[in-house]
Amino acid sequence: MRQRGEVAPQVEKRILRPCEPAVEPACPCMRGEQGAQGRARDADRAREFIDGTVRLDAQGVLFDALTADEAGRAVVAGAGIDAGEFGHDALLRRDGWARPVACPRGGRGRSPREPRRVMSDPALQPVVKEIPPKAADLSAWYTAVCLKAELVSYSPVRGCVVLRPYGYGLWENLQKHLDKAFKDTGHENAYFPLLIPEGLLLKEAEHVEGFAPEVAWVTHGGQEELTERLAIRPTSEAIIGVMYAQWVESYRDLPILINQWANVLRWEKATRPFLRTMEFLWQEGHTAHAHAAEAREETLKMLDVYREFAENVAAVPVYAGIKSASERFPGAVETFSIEALMPDGKALQSATSHDLGQNFAKAYDIKFLDADQQIKYAYTTSWGMSWRMLGAMIMTHGDDRGLRIPPKMAPLEAVFVPIVRKGDERAVAAAHDAAKTLREAGFRVRVDDRDQQPGWKYAEWDVRGVPLRIEIGPRDVDAGTVVLVRRDKAKGDPEQKQSVPLDQLAQHVRVSLDAIQLSMYEEAKAFLHEHTPRANDRAEFTRLCKERAGMVDITWCGRAACEAHVKAETGATTRNTRALDGDETSCVACGEAATVRAYFAQSY
RNA sequence: CGGGACGUAGCUCAGCUUGGUAGAGCGCUUGCUUUGGGAGCAAGAAGUCGCAGGUUCGAAUCCUGUCGUCCCGACCA
């Protein structure tokens, strides 16, 4: 068998160099760029006659020198080929088969492929090449920004991304803040195995059922098939529950307050950077308590830690509340969540906190002898936030120039861009000096002294969302100043640029970063509030849900059937619920008695 | 997992309908000139056309399969 592309020997020797066409085509549509109507396929052994010149290819397929490739033409046509070599001798009897082919009227011109996205509205032209405008296509914008800002790369593993150093920097800042909050509330870190024996996972029925479709299994160790399959953890309640059972004997052993920073794996069908990947990073807290009230208190405390982190660090405003029964964590008594609103009107669950009651303690046998000499099951909780929170932050704050990172999350708080002129590189040294001063004051900064145009660097750091840019050029060196440029403000905004004395740089940077953090949060909060309509009747409610108007706030009956009906009709589900705040008595969605207020939205 | 689209140089894509020597722009390398919002000139390097089969004298192009990505649904942190 010949290799691909290798030409049979008998043809090879006949290949001539490209030659000029012998004739002009009878019709433009005969040219390569035009489609002659339905020129028959090879299988049809098409034949054509053009301007008296008859050509055929090696299969005996006739073609003219103007439409097919020059070399190929030369092979067969020019040389008066002996078709016997190819077994098509019948076709070579020109007189017998050559006949004119009608030239189709307009031809069927091949139109250039449509651009992927048509953006005829000038307002929707990209500001940065390779990043589509955010408002035109949030999905495309999001993916482009994640890649262009070098947060992630796709990997050869389906559904798994590489978290690049800049993206990992975001994760480290999330870890830093959350970890401190966990420690401040009395928790310790530990690490549990990645693999969970099947039998263990099966112990909590609801839990198994909930995760079954997305569990990956290890079935072999080397060549040997395992007698018991091992699940790659989709979450760690099972393995941790078993260990807690070993550790707890007395009420004096409680509470256990442990957090784990880990990766987990869920066999997802559709994936997107941060929002949904098969393997993802998260933290999962697991606690065990002697009393139900204490477990509930813990659940709510951690929910508040998440809310506080989202709002004050990631600058993402959220609604905290109780999940409906259908959205509850498999096996939990009650699930609480914080929910953020994305620019397209879809909600993004950013963290969850579960009161597991005694369900898991019973499944994994976590029991203790209480002070009253009774053996009792413990009350457990679990709570988690994943790198999905980064996705929420990216979508909430980014703009057409790229990422905008809130200062507290930014791997780099400020970047120096020195401007050099021929024979004047003082700015570079000045920038390094100033950067050293800032670093010593605790700021995360870098000097971009790469060999690129200043404008190029501005655009680059805009895409990567560094909150503050510090320009320093010859004029500044002379004047003893620098120019601070805020990423959160638009070009031309009077607040965007500010010239400050070099010797007061640290104070000004501090003030600017704080202002940026606050301003970004306020902006996002305004968006959330503007997109939290209260619907008062069913028609309005349905319309708002369908339009993705935001977090549609209604009084709700709390019934699963009602929720399912709303979902089928509008695509929206409850995000979370809270206590009624007035005398409302009927559910806006179905008219039954209302029991709670609920936010409804389509969600990620 | 259903419906749709797409895999060609690092990136964005053209070429495919009608099989005939692998293309452009940007980026990259080197040199010079530049540098306060993605610089200019010159020279240069770079692709087993996702992968595997099949058809053919010959496949980026046609056929089958497969893997991956994106979009819309369903499901989920």
Side-chain angles (χ1 to χ4, degrees):
Chain A
M1 190 88 259
R2 264 187 309 278
Q3 292 290 311
R4 241 175 181 231
E6 194 178 319
V7 178
Q10 72 268 29
V11 173
E12 179 114 50
K13 70 185 176 197
R14 283 189 174 276
I15 289 186
L16 309 178
R17 288 299 90 197
C19 58
E20 287 302 310
V23 289
E24 284 298 311
C27 164
C29 73
M30 287 302 180
R31 283 222 165 258
E33 69 268 17
Q34 294 285 342
Q37 152 253 23
R39 188 171 300 192
R41 310 219 24 83
D42 289 359
D44 299 325
R45 296 291 184 257
R47 52 195 72 162
E48 293 176 13
F49 177 89
I50 294 174
D51 202 16
T53 304
V54 175
R55 306 263 170 111
L56 74 160
D57 73 7
Q59 282 172 294
V61 175
L62 190 73
F63 63 98
D64 72 282
L66 303 165
T67 57
D69 176 83
E70 298 290 350
R73 264 157 263 130
V75 173
V76 233
I81 253 171
D82 176 1
E85 288 183 59
F86 306 109
H88 295 304
D89 35 339
L91 291 177
L92 278 176
R93 281 181 232 110
R94 298 183 177 185
D95 295 346
W97 49 266
R99 59 185 164 80
V101 168
C103 184
R105 255 177 304 152
R108 183 168 53 90
R110 176 181 168 72
S111 57
R113 204 165 282 172
E114 289 285 315
R116 284 257 170 92
R117 291 185 176 82
V118 182
M119 293 176 291
S120 47
D121 181 349
L124 296 183
Q125 294 303 311
V127 172
V128 179
K129 57 184 173 186
E130 290 163 35
I131 300 183
K134 193 180 182 190
D137 185 340
L138 185 66
S139 289
W141 172 89
Y142 177 78
T143 306
V145 165
C146 286
L147 296 172
K148 197 91 200 318
E150 299 185 1
L151 301 179
V152 297
S153 268
Y154 287 109
S155 75
V157 192
R158 182 182 82 83
C160 297
V161 295
V162 174
L163 188 59
R164 303 181 66 177
Y166 196 60
Y168 202 83
L170 290 176
W171 180 243
E172 285 177 316
N173 282 337
L174 178 150
Q175 280 186 308
K176 185 178 74 182
H177 284 95
L178 272 190
D179 202 64
K180 178 171 189 308
F182 296 158
K183 303 264 170 69
D184 287 349
T185 45
H187 302 83
E188 297 176 295
N189 287 327
Y191 188 81
F192 294 84
L194 170 71
L195 300 175
I196 302 174
E198 182 166 19
L200 263 187
L201 202 58
L202 296 177
K203 288 193 173 184
E204 216 294 337
E206 267 188 61
H207 189 58
V208 178
E209 198 187 332
F211 281 103
E214 40 189 17
V215 173
W217 295 97
V218 175
T219 58
H220 287 76
Q223 302 297 328
E224 229 173 293
E225 186 165 352
L226 306 178
T227 50
E228 182 179 16
R229 297 192 297 171
L230 298 170
I232 299 176
R233 64 180 165 217
T235 177
S236 302
E237 274 74 8
I239 185 74
I240 292 180
V242 166
M243 297 315 297
Y244 281 12
Q246 292 184 25
W247 297 341
V248 176
E249 285 188 272
S250 149
Y251 70 96
R252 296 193 174 90
D253 296 327
L254 295 172
I256 300 184
L257 306 173
I258 286 179
N259 175 63
Q260 154 167 280
W261 290 96
N263 57 341
V264 288
L265 190 77
R266 298 182 187 177
W267 211 259
E268 299 288 351
K269 294 156 191 166
T271 62
R272 306 182 61 192
F274 298 122
L275 301 181
R276 172 158 294 108
T277 50
M278 298 214 315
E279 181 185 5
F280 59 94
L281 296 181
W282 76 347
Q283 56 71 217
E284 45 181 329
H286 296 269
T287 68
H289 308 263
H291 307 290
E294 190 183 312
R296 175 56 63 94
E297 187 189 338
E298 166 78 7
T299 308
L300 292 172
K301 184 195 292 174
M302 300 325 286
L303 182 72
D304 202 53
V305 164
Y306 290 140
R307 185 198 53 73
E308 142 80 28
F309 169 83
E311 297 188 339
N312 295 338
V313 181
V316 174
V318 294
Y319 289 129
I322 304 172
K323 280 293 194 185
S324 69
S326 67
E327 300 267 328
R328 193 179 291 150
F329 179 74
V333 167
E334 197 83 281
T335 288
F336 300 82
S337 74
I338 56 170
E339 304 277 337
L341 183 65
M342 299 299 105
D344 59 355
K346 288 168 79 172
L348 185 64
Q349 177 175 300
S350 305
T352 49
S353 186
H354 315 292
D355 181 347
L356 304 175
Q358 292 179 308
N359 292 346
F360 282 78
K362 285 175 179 165
Y364 297 103
D365 211 30
I366 309 172
K367 54 192 179 193
F368 64 97
L369 191 56
D370 206 351
D372 61 8
Q373 311 236 350
Q374 299 293 309
I375 291 181
K376 298 176 181 171
Y377 286 107
Y379 295 83
T380 63
T381 80
S382 69
W383 25 274
M385 177 181 276
S386 75
W387 69 18
R388 186 179 224 203
M389 182 72 227
L390 302 181
M393 186 196 80
I394 292 161
M395 272 203 271
T396 297
H397 299 302
D399 65 14
D400 287 355
R401 283 186 284 153
L403 219 49
R404 292 196 311 169
I405 309 178
K408 288 182 186 173
M409 284 293 284
L412 286 174
E413 292 169 297
V415 165
F416 284 88
V417 178
I419 293 142
V420 305
R421 287 189 203 287
K422 188 172 52 179
D424 183 354
E425 303 209 346
R426 293 174 298 157
V428 177
H432 279 289
D433 286 347
K436 183 164 180 283
T437 307
L438 288 185
R439 249 179 240 119
E440 283 164 358
F443 293 102
R444 301 183 294 275
V445 300
R446 133 163 204 194
V447 177
D448 187 354
D449 54 6
R450 292 176 297 175
D451 180 23
Q452 291 286 359
Q453 301 280 117
W456 187 92
K457 294 177 184 173
Y458 299 166
E460 162 98 354
W461 294 112
D462 278 355
V463 169
R464 303 187 74 178
V466 175
L468 209 52
R469 182 174 76 232
I470 306 175
E471 302 176 6
I472 177 163
R475 292 202 298 266
D476 299 297
V477 175
D478 290 337
T481 59
V482 297
V483 177
L484 297 189
V485 186
R486 286 175 60 164
R487 174 63 180 86
D488 63 319
K489 297 293 180 188
K491 286 185 209 175
D493 186 317
E495 288 185 57
Q496 191 205 12
K497 295 191 183 187
Q498 181 191 11
S499 182
V500 306
L502 193 50
D503 57 9
Q504 294 168 25
L505 182 57
Q507 299 94 293
H508 281 99
V509 167
R510 180 73 274 147
V511 169
S512 290
L513 291 175
D514 290 346
I516 293 168
Q517 181 81 33
L518 185 64
S519 161
M520 290 178 73
Y521 175 64
E522 293 298 336
E523 195 182 315
K525 196 163 121 186
F527 177 85
L528 175 60
H529 288 165
E530 282 161 21
H531 293 84
T532 306
R534 281 202 175 197
N536 296 306
D537 63 66
R538 186 183 162 73
E540 184 185 20
F541 171 66
T542 305
R543 178 178 61 79
L544 290 170
C545 285
K546 280 185 183 167
E547 287 175 357
R548 286 190 192 164
M551 296 281 200
V552 184
D553 184 9
I554 62 165
T555 52
W556 184 49
C557 61
R559 296 182 309 122
C562 173
E563 185 176 27
H565 188 258
V566 170
K567 182 175 183 180
E569 189 179 353
T570 69
T573 52
T574 55
R575 300 326 307 153
N576 56 35
T577 67
R578 62 201 192 284
L580 288 170
D581 57 1
D583 304 329
E584 301 91 344
T585 51
S586 67
C587 170
V588 171
C590 70
E592 298 278 323
T595 56
V596 291
R597 285 210 75 94
Y599 296 112
F600 274 79
Q602 298 180 34
S603 75
Y604 274 93

